[in-house]
Amino acid sequence: MTALLSACIAFQLNATMMSPVLPTMARELGTDEVAVGLSQTMFFTSGAIFGVFLPRLSDIRGRRLVLGGLLALVAVGSVLGALAPNIVVLDIARIIQGCSGPVVPICLLMLRASVTEPKRYGTLMGVITAVNGGVAGVDAYFGGLLATHFGFRGVFWTMTVIALIATAVVFAWTPESRPSEGVAMDWWGVVPLVLSVAAILTSVNEAGKLGSANWPLVAGLLVLGVGFFVLFYRVEKGRPHPLVSPEQLRKRETWALLLTTLLTMTGIFATINGLAVTFAQDTHAGFGLRPDVSSLLLLTPFALVGWLVGPFAGRMAPALGYRRVLRLGMVGSIVSLAIMATFGLHSLPMLVVASVLLGITYAGVVNIMLNGLGIVLSHPENPGFLPGMNSAAFNFGAGLSFAVLPVVQVFGSPSGSSSSAGYTGGLLLGLVITGCALAVSYLIPRPAAAETSGGQL
């Protein structure tokens, strides 16, 4: 657990410590925040791309070997980022760091191989996955603190040290597991799937630019992405050891879970990380808070309560049922978004309360259950594929959320406007999308092997 937690922390710091450092990075590299913001996009895109096949590769070549290798790459990327003379080198560094995208699912697969008792696994899964929502809510704060005193390079050197420690303890303290040893890796299937994911993610990122987006490019990339996925489906039909069989793709444990994850992230991710924070800083329609104050009041409690609740949600899942706990969290998330849209936009204390409730229900419950279901619903002959695709669905949903919800916000509350209608509309749209995710979740089959008798609905 110490080794797996260190691996997850090393990954999560790459994802969250950089957010408050972007202005400092732009200033020290002599560029603008749009350019350095693109480096964040490259990190998450890289994570989604590598996430679709590395968990499966770990089944074949060894999970400890792949996990340790990914953490070593994080250290290499961090050193390159610390020494980056310009934005191009920094982008390359973030792409290398993004290879660590599947760290959490690989850690959960390793845990599953070592812990078979459902309640114990659920608890430990909750502990590990809760880190995925933020390292106790202080990672972003310390990123800003390091940038203030040592510049953005100090953040990269800190990530280097943590990644090296995580690499060492993973190789020293975790057992190796190769459930698919001797099976050939389906690289013919990997190529079209990776190209499909890359095209669709790039399309989503371009759409997120709103008014400045190249919409013909968005449409073209979407068509290209769908075309590559059709090619992937056809290739898999003829492979002796496919990355995933067409029959498995058609099963509810695959498409229903991936669609639920996609819709959930689309409905929720940009509400707290985008709309709520932007409204708190809006000097005309909102509360006019400084960026650091808004993060401390909204994002830190959100991550902290999720980190505290996660292990309890994981322990409840085998007894109450993974799907039941997931739906309870989704209902709670919908209520939280409703409070945020109605009362939170008129009262700062209520906005903080709604953020805390969303941290409990989404970060502490829904996020844990979606990650957990990706593991416990995996096909025993191909355990790495579904967690990898679920990881990509998280990234897809996050990108879609920032491409869809801010459109409503900007349309209803343009810059300089004192109207909060756009924020209300964006939050309500997120609520509706989350409601659709709740409906789709009823199609997810029960993971009977991971639950006790009390988990039956």
Side-chain angles (χ1 to χ4, degrees):
M1 281 299 293
T2 301
L4 296 181
L5 278 171
S6 67
C8 290
I9 289 172
F11 160 73
Q12 188 61 33
L13 292 182
N14 280 269
T16 54
M17 281 188 80
M18 299 309 299
S19 296
V21 183
L22 297 182
T24 304
M25 195 182 302
R27 184 175 64 254
E28 294 183 5
L29 288 177
T31 185
D32 55 40
E33 290 191 37
V34 174
V36 296
L38 183 60
S39 69
Q40 287 289 79
T41 301
M42 289 183 175
F43 172 82
F44 288 110
T45 302
S46 174
I49 290 172
F50 283 92
V52 300
F53 70 91
L54 283 181
R56 178 56 181 158
L57 182 64
S58 75
D59 292 343
I60 298 170
R61 298 295 175 86
R63 290 166 178 162
R64 180 179 65 178
L65 177 64
V66 172
L67 180 61
L70 289 178
L71 294 171
L73 276 176
V74 169
V76 171
S78 299
V79 170
L80 187 61
L83 300 175
N86 53 53
I87 190 64
V88 174
V89 177
L90 183 76
D91 287 341
I92 295 172
R94 292 298 279 162
I95 291 172
I96 295 173
Q97 288 180 314
C99 296
S100 62
V103 159
V104 174
I106 292 175
C107 285
L108 293 180
L109 286 167
M110 294 174 73
L111 181 68
R112 181 72 170 166
S114 298
V115 181
T116 56
E117 199 279 314
K119 283 189 176 179
R120 185 162 180 251
Y121 172 76
T123 304
L124 298 179
M125 175 202 71
V127 172
I128 288 177
T129 313
V131 175
N132 197 211
V135 185
V138 299
D139 38 354
Y141 172 75
F142 278 111
L145 197 65
L146 285 168
T148 300
H149 295 284
F150 304 103
F152 82 90
R153 300 180 194 278
V155 178
F156 276 105
W157 286 122
T158 301
M159 291 191 295
T160 301
V161 173
I162 294 172
L164 289 173
I165 293 172
T167 304
V169 298
V170 162
F171 279 118
W173 294 346
T174 60
E176 185 60 282
S177 58
R178 297 184 184 90
S180 300
E181 187 174 8
V183 175
M185 182 66 182
D186 178 26
W187 294 110
W188 286 103
V190 167
V191 173
L193 181 59
V194 163
L195 291 174
S196 174
V197 170
I200 296 175
L201 268 177
T202 304
S203 173
V204 169
N205 292 332
E206 180 66 23
K209 297 177 183 177
L210 303 180
S212 61
N214 185 336
W215 292 106
L217 177 63
V218 170
L221 287 171
L222 278 176
V223 171
L224 193 63
V226 172
F228 276 123
F229 188 81
V230 171
L231 177 61
F232 164 73
Y233 188 84
R234 291 181 178 276
V235 166
E236 294 302 271
K237 285 184 176 181
R239 301 296 297 166
H241 301 289
L243 188 65
V244 58
S245 66
E247 293 76 17
Q248 189 178 343
L249 281 174
R250 290 194 295 264
K251 289 183 176 179
R252 285 190 295 138
E253 55 257 47
T254 301
W255 65 263
L257 174 62
L258 297 181
L259 184 56
T260 300
T261 299
L262 178 69
L263 289 172
T264 301
M265 289 297 290
T266 303
I268 294 178
F269 193 76
T271 57
I272 180 65
N273 292 287
L275 300 184
V277 174
T278 302
F279 182 81
Q281 297 176 20
D282 194 320
T283 55
H284 299 282
F287 303 117
L289 302 179
R290 297 198 317 269
D292 57 340
V293 175
S294 63
S295 296
L296 192 62
L297 289 178
L298 301 177
L299 298 182
T300 297
F302 170 83
L304 179 58
V305 295
W307 185 72
L308 294 174
V309 171
F312 296 99
R315 185 165 183 80
M316 288 191 300
L320 297 180
Y322 278 79
R323 298 175 303 170
R324 180 177 289 168
V325 176
L326 171 65
R327 292 166 197 156
L328 287 172
M330 284 185 165
V331 170
S333 298
I334 290 171
V335 172
S336 302
L337 290 176
I339 294 173
M340 191 176 289
T342 52
F343 302 106
L345 299 184
H346 303 286
S347 166
L348 180 58
M350 288 304 297
L351 185 61
V352 173
V353 168
S355 300
V356 171
L357 289 175
L358 196 61
I360 294 170
T361 56
Y362 167 70
V365 178
V366 174
N367 182 49
I368 308 298
M369 293 303 103
L370 289 174
N371 274 288
L373 282 165
I375 303 298
V376 298
L377 288 174
S378 293
H379 196 281
E381 295 180 1
N382 187 0
F385 177 76
L386 185 57
M389 288 299 292
N390 202 35
S391 173
F394 273 100
N395 284 280
F396 268 125
L400 276 174
S401 191
F402 272 103
V404 173
L405 302 189
V407 173
V408 180
Q409 177 239 309
V410 172
F411 180 78
S413 301
S415 180
S417 170
S418 59
S419 171
S420 62
Y423 294 99
T424 302
L427 291 169
L428 291 178
L429 177 59
L431 185 154
V432 170
I433 296 173
T434 307
C436 293
L438 174 62
V440 175
S441 73
Y442 281 87
L443 299 174
I444 300 174
R446 180 192 172 215
E451 297 178 353
T452 61
S453 58
Q456 188 155 1
L457 299 182

